[in-house]
Amino acid sequence: GIFNYEDSQGAVAKMRSCISKAIQAAGGLPVEGAGDRTKGRPLPGSAASEPAPHIPDIVHSTVLRWKAVPKDAAEALQAFEVAASSWEPLDITVPCARAVFEDIPYMHIPDDEARIWWVSELTTQPASGGSLSQL
């Protein structure tokens, strides 16, 4: 199961735009979303094997995944439908943004100083509606 988020005030889009401009100003060319990754350009000084920076175009949380197709897919779907039927949208506030070196998929990396290279903490509470809404 995946929760998608609505960036209600465009904060994520603004952060992604800023990082894209910074990468371009430094001589790289990021690939955004599902774009053709061969059209990007790594930052100058990167190893020859280093891919171009990638800026995703989604904001989501994965809450459930199967390693393989369940033996009884119909039963698994029914159980998921029961669990999901009580879902209600909610607002969340994100207290900071982190830029990380993603050498393995992010949901699996440790929350450690070795991979986090930048953090932006909120200094004030967001205005009303200043949160991400889970759809």
Side-chain angles (χ1 to χ4, degrees):
I2 296 175
F3 295 129
N4 288 312
Y5 295 89
E6 177 185 10
D7 184 11
S8 60
Q9 292 191 340
V12 174
K14 289 175 190 171
M15 288 189 293
R16 289 177 173 162
S17 176
C18 286
I19 195 72
S20 178
K21 289 175 185 173
I23 290 167
Q24 291 175 52
L29 182 63
V31 177
E32 299 185 20
D36 181 351
R37 297 209 181 178
T38 65
K39 296 194 180 198
R41 184 175 53 251
L43 290 164
S46 297
S49 61
E50 188 72 23
H54 175 248
I55 300 174
D57 61 356
I58 60 172
V59 181
H60 74 280
S61 296
T62 303
V63 295
L64 176 68
R65 82 177 45 181
W66 282 268
K67 190 171 185 174
V69 176
K71 288 182 181 180
D72 188 337
E75 184 180 346
L77 178 60
Q78 183 180 12
F80 186 78
E81 291 287 343
V82 169
S85 69
S86 63
W87 170 255
E88 292 183 24
L90 59 115
D91 286 339
I92 61 170
T93 299
V94 178
C96 71
R98 292 182 179 176
V100 298
F101 294 110
E102 187 175 311
D103 54 351
I104 55 179
Y106 184 59
M107 68 187 102
H108 301 288
I109 69 172
D111 185 13
D112 63 12
E113 297 300 318
R115 290 180 178 86
I116 300 169
W117 58 271
W118 179 83
V119 176
S120 173
E121 299 288 339
L122 283 179
T123 55
T124 60
Q125 290 297 320
S128 176
S131 61
L132 293 176
S133 295
Q134 253 182 356
L135 300 176

